């Protein structure tokens, strides 16, 4: 048995659902999930569908037939994925280890249906962690003088390993435009605050000084505008005047792990669809 996941957005009009479902019915598929949403303001239709087939399906031929018989008729932007191939995910990390440990633990327990061919870091601190999980580790230092060359090396490695998307597990460097251009809406970052909020490297210290009552974390796709990409997942926890900076940091790190893992999982399961710097998440 094989499964196909379809993501669609297109101008809203009548007949879309009927034509899409009929296409899979004629191919003897069994639709096990379907959800749709209409952005009334922009008159845009969004849809996610999962369909199972009793026999192996030629994904290339199915894509071509769908394009000719359905997609072109409705001027669709669409993606079709088969579950026969695991997505290949690269992890970027610096010195903080909590998100890395969490991601790798979920990976090893088969919670994340991906293959991780490499970990890239601008420091050597977490090389042993990668070795413990049996994943190749690449140390690529990044300085003001070497950042362009570093980006070239990173991209070469990613292309060599046929990486589908990247997860920034607290990677404390600005991603170069060249890398973002090669992986549009395929680089997931965890931001240590509830965006939009406190900028900089120490948001919990700023939150403490302001006496905030909640702190949060945000996973989002990376764009050229820093920390302003489409939001995938967010969560918060309540705090009070009795909590210290250390308490805020510990609570924040717990949130970061959970929110990043959810964002990554949504992406792996093809539940996210980006439109106009906004993410539609089918959950």
């Amino acid at each position: 048995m094989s499964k196909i996941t379809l993501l669609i957005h297109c101008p809203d009009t009548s007949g879309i659902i009927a034509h899409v479902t009929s296409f899979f019915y004629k191919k003897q598929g069994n639709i096990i999930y379907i959800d749709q949403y209409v952005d009334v303001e922009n008159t845009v239709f969004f849809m996610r569908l999962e369909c199972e087939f009793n026999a192996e399906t030629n994904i290339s031929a199915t894509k071509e037939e769908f394009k000719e018989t359905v997609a072109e008729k409705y001027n669709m932007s669409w993606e079709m994925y088969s579950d026969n191939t695991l997505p290949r995910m690269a992890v970027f990390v610096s010195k903080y280890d909590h998100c890395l440990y969490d991601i790798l633990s979920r990976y090893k327990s088969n919670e994340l249906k991906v293959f991780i061919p490499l970990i890239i870091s601008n420091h050597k601190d977490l090389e042993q962690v990668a070795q413990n999980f049996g994943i190749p580790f690449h140390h690529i230092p990044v300085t003001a003088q070497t950042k362009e060359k570093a980006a070239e090396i990173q991209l070469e490695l990613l292309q060599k390993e046929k990486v589908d998307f990247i997860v920034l597990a607290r990677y404390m460097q600005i991603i170069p435009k060249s890398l973002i251009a090669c992986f549009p809406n395929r680089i997931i970052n965890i931001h240590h605050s509830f965006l939009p909020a406190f900028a900089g490297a120490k948001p919990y210290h700023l939150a403490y000084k302001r006496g905030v009552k909640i702190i949060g974390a945000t996973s989002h796709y990376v764009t050229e505008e820093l920390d302003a990409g489409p939001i995938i997942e967010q969560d918060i926890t309540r705090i009070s005047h009795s909590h210290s900076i250390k308490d805020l940091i510990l609570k924040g790190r717990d949130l970061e792990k959970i929110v990043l893992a959810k964002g990554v999982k949504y992406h792996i399961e093809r539940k996210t669809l980006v439109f106009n710097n906004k993410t539609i998440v089918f959950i």
Side-chain angles (χ1 to χ4, degrees):
M1 183 172 288
S2 62
K3 186 176 79 172
I4 280 176
T5 301
L6 176 68
L7 292 171
I8 294 169
H9 72 82
C10 62
D12 185 37
T13 187
S14 61
I16 300 172
I17 296 175
H19 276 83
V20 172
T21 54
S22 294
F23 172 84
F24 288 103
Y25 172 75
K26 291 175 182 177
K27 296 189 72 64
Q28 299 182 322
N30 178 34
I31 295 172
I32 59 173
Y33 173 95
I34 186 169
D35 194 6
Q36 66 279 333
Y37 160 72
V38 176
D39 181 339
V40 177
E41 182 179 347
N42 294 298
T43 62
V44 179
F45 175 86
F46 301 89
M47 183 183 200
R48 181 179 183 273
L49 177 148
E50 294 180 10
C51 186
E52 286 185 345
F53 298 87
N54 288 326
E56 287 297 318
T57 302
N58 185 322
I59 185 69
S60 297
T62 303
K63 284 181 176 180
E64 188 61 30
E65 186 177 349
F66 183 82
K67 175 185 174 183
E68 294 175 356
T69 60
V70 183
E72 290 182 347
K73 174 181 175 65
Y74 291 100
N75 193 26
M76 290 179 177
S77 295
W78 60 283
E79 294 288 343
M80 187 181 292
Y81 304 95
S82 170
D83 69 344
N84 292 332
T85 304
L86 289 177
R88 298 173 69 86
M89 178 180 94
V91 181
F92 282 37
V93 68
S94 290
K95 292 185 176 183
Y96 293 114
D97 62 6
H98 55 289
C99 286
L100 179 64
Y101 269 117
D102 186 72
I103 289 291
L104 297 184
S105 296
R106 293 174 191 270
Y107 170 61
K108 284 299 182 181
S109 65
N110 292 319
E111 181 181 335
L112 301 178
K113 305 300 182 183
V114 292
F115 176 70
I116 302 179
L118 78 167
I119 295 171
I120 291 176
S121 180
N122 56 323
H123 297 283
K124 291 184 176 181
D125 299 56
L126 301 180
E127 184 172 6
Q128 187 60 51
V129 177
Q131 292 176 358
N132 291 343
F133 283 88
I135 300 172
F137 182 91
H138 297 269
H139 174 225
I140 305 174
V142 180
T143 66
Q145 293 73 33
T146 65
K147 60 182 179 180
E148 289 186 9
K149 181 62 177 177
E152 291 176 8
I153 297 171
Q154 290 171 347
L155 186 56
E156 184 179 339
L157 281 170
L158 296 169
Q159 292 174 337
K160 178 183 177 182
E161 293 293 345
K162 297 181 171 60
V163 166
D164 295 303
F165 72 104
I166 301 166
V167 173
L168 309 180
R170 293 303 306 274
Y171 182 67
M172 308 303 286
Q173 290 289 326
I174 295 176
I175 303 301
K177 294 180 181 179
S178 57
L179 205 57
I180 296 172
C182 291
F183 292 88
N185 299 321
R186 290 187 290 146
I187 305 176
I188 301 173
N189 185 40
I190 182 66
H191 191 276
H192 43 202
S193 64
F194 193 79
L195 292 175
F198 301 109
K202 293 186 175 182
Y204 302 121
H205 293 70
L206 295 173
Y208 177 79
K209 289 180 179 179
R210 289 289 302 276
V212 301
K213 300 300 181 261
I214 62 170
I215 57 172
T218 302
S219 62
H220 65 93
Y221 289 114
V222 173
T223 59
E224 290 186 13
E225 188 177 353
L226 186 63
D227 294 330
I231 292 171
I232 307 170
E233 175 67 5
Q234 292 181 297
D235 202 357
I236 61 167
T237 188
R238 298 201 67 84
I239 59 171
S240 75
H241 58 275
S242 65
H243 289 108
S244 65
I245 291 177
K246 183 179 179 180
D247 292 330
L248 268 63
I249 291 172
L250 291 175
K251 285 177 174 288
R253 287 180 178 176
D254 282 342
L255 281 175
E256 290 165 18
K257 291 186 288 186
I258 294 168
V259 171
L260 179 59
K262 283 185 177 180
V264 171
K265 197 170 183 180
Y266 293 155
H267 183 88
I268 293 168
E269 295 174 352
R270 316 298 186 185
K271 292 184 175 181
T272 64
L273 204 160
V274 176
F275 179 77
N276 283 353
N277 206 45
K278 179 180 178 181
T279 309
I280 309 300
V281 183
F282 293 98
I283 54 176

